[in-house]
Amino acid sequence: MISAQQASFPNKIQRAMDCQTEEEETREEQYDSENCTCSSKHASPTAESDSDSPVTLKILQNWVPRVSPYFDKDHYTYAGHQIVIQESIEHFGAVVWPGALALSQYLESNQEQFNLKDKKVLEIGAGTGLVSIVVLYLGAYVTATDLPEILENLSYNISKNTQHMNTHKPEVRKLVWGESLDEDFPASTYHYDFILATDVVYHHTALDPLLATMAYFCKPGTVLLWANKFRFSTDYEFLEKFSTIFNTTLLAEFPESNVKLLKATIRED
């Protein structure tokens, strides 16, 4: 069983008040090669040197400190672009969680391992849309999905951050895990190269429909990348069930944030 540590989630208002201090710390982290094991600008960590062993990484402060009266907007820098994300405290899915930061960072730093250019990518539980936006910048065809109550904010973030891009037009769609999959995404029509999921597993009642949804979209040849902060025993129980359906590899761990990044393909036996 993989061990987990408890990590606190940063308070946005406090981050804004302390932005000058955090900006100085950010610069130190980016240039401290001894303490920072992963930086898209200063290092290119991959698991290629030992494909059987996960890498241990640290989520970088790609959040850009800003003095702003609007605490519901965060600024990030990925793939050479500044990304502005509007969040909402009304829904869990409308907040940027650590798994999204971890997967965005990993995909940016490992483009040779996971070349997303012109690939068809589906994100389930897209939330604020940060990961989908990063993947768009990396050249993919992206379909971002979430619950109906999340779609307005999700669409807003994707539209605002991609409106001037000369790239593939993103798609935002409703997806309720385990419901109307054959009707809304018929298997004969929809095939994706990558399925992305971040922090979709936590203390909720839709874990079985989530697993069924993952299995539905993962056809032979599809790669599922799942990053999650492990908080509860139910998270590990889900991982055990997940591993009976998918061939699973632990790509990376972010111990300070309790995030694990897994690569999975559907079992064909």
Side-chain angles (χ1 to χ4, degrees):
M1 185 66 68
I2 305 172
S3 62
Q5 299 174 329
Q6 184 64 33
S8 61
F9 190 73
N11 182 286
K12 297 180 183 302
I13 297 178
Q14 187 63 45
R15 288 191 313 186
M17 295 173 61
D18 296 339
C19 67
Q20 183 175 357
T21 301
E22 292 191 3
E23 187 171 12
E24 294 172 355
E25 292 174 352
T26 297
R27 293 196 190 102
E28 293 174 0
E29 287 178 355
Q30 288 178 331
Y31 289 96
D32 188 347
S33 59
E34 186 173 273
N35 295 325
C36 183
T37 59
C38 175
S39 171
S40 59
K41 294 183 179 180
H42 305 289
S44 298
T46 68
E48 293 177 356
S49 60
D50 186 353
S51 59
D52 294 329
S53 301
V55 291
T56 301
L57 305 177
K58 180 179 181 179
I59 295 179
L60 297 183
Q61 293 294 323
N62 279 28
W63 172 72
V64 180
R66 284 286 180 95
V67 177
S68 172
Y70 301 102
F71 298 120
D72 62 341
K73 287 186 173 63
D74 274 347
H75 297 71
Y76 300 88
T77 300
Y78 289 104
H81 295 267
Q82 185 176 106
I83 302 171
V84 181
I85 295 295
Q86 176 175 282
E87 298 184 317
S88 170
I89 61 173
E90 296 180 358
H91 304 288
F92 283 148
V95 175
V96 176
W97 296 103
L101 301 177
L103 183 55
S104 296
Q105 177 178 311
Y106 193 88
L107 291 175
E108 179 188 29
S109 299
N110 292 272
Q111 295 181 51
E112 292 185 4
Q113 183 182 5
F114 296 105
N115 180 7
L116 300 179
K117 185 173 177 56
D118 297 328
K119 298 297 193 299
K120 294 181 179 179
V121 176
L122 173 73
E123 184 179 7
I124 60 176
T128 63
L130 176 62
V131 174
S132 286
I133 293 165
V134 172
V135 170
L136 278 163
Y137 287 145
L138 296 177
Y141 294 91
V142 176
T143 300
T145 67
D146 213 310
L147 296 170
E149 60 267 28
I150 304 296
L151 294 186
E152 181 178 359
N153 191 63
L154 173 60
S155 298
Y156 173 84
N157 283 332
I158 290 180
S159 175
K160 292 293 287 186
N161 286 282
T162 63
Q163 58 186 339
H164 300 302
M165 291 175 56
N166 295 319
T167 186
H168 308 307
K169 183 180 175 67
E171 184 179 16
V172 177
R173 296 189 58 178
K174 178 192 77 172
L175 175 61
V176 180
W177 298 335
E179 294 185 12
S180 305
L181 298 178
D182 288 320
E183 298 176 15
D184 296 337
F185 297 87
S188 59
T189 305
Y190 291 91
H191 178 86
Y192 297 96
D193 300 299
F194 289 90
I195 308 298
L196 307 181
T198 61
D199 283 313
V200 290
V201 176
Y202 51 95
H203 194 61
H204 60 74
T205 59
L207 292 178
D208 287 339
L210 169 61
L211 188 58
T213 300
M214 289 175 161
Y216 177 82
F217 284 112
C218 281
K219 311 300 181 187
T222 300
V223 173
L224 170 63
L225 297 176
W226 168 37
N228 214 92
K229 179 172 181 175
F230 280 73
R231 307 167 177 85
F232 312 110
S233 61
T234 49
D235 300 343
Y236 291 97
E237 292 169 6
F238 180 92
L239 178 57
E240 291 180 3
K241 292 182 180 179
F242 182 88
S243 298
T244 65
I245 298 175
F246 296 95
N247 299 305
T248 305
T249 302
L250 180 62
L251 291 178
E253 294 184 275
F254 299 76
E256 290 186 359
S257 305
N258 272 1
V259 172
K260 304 181 191 306
L261 172 59
L262 298 106
K263 170 188 173 183
T265 56
I266 197 72
R267 290 185 182 272
E268 299 183 54
D269 49 6

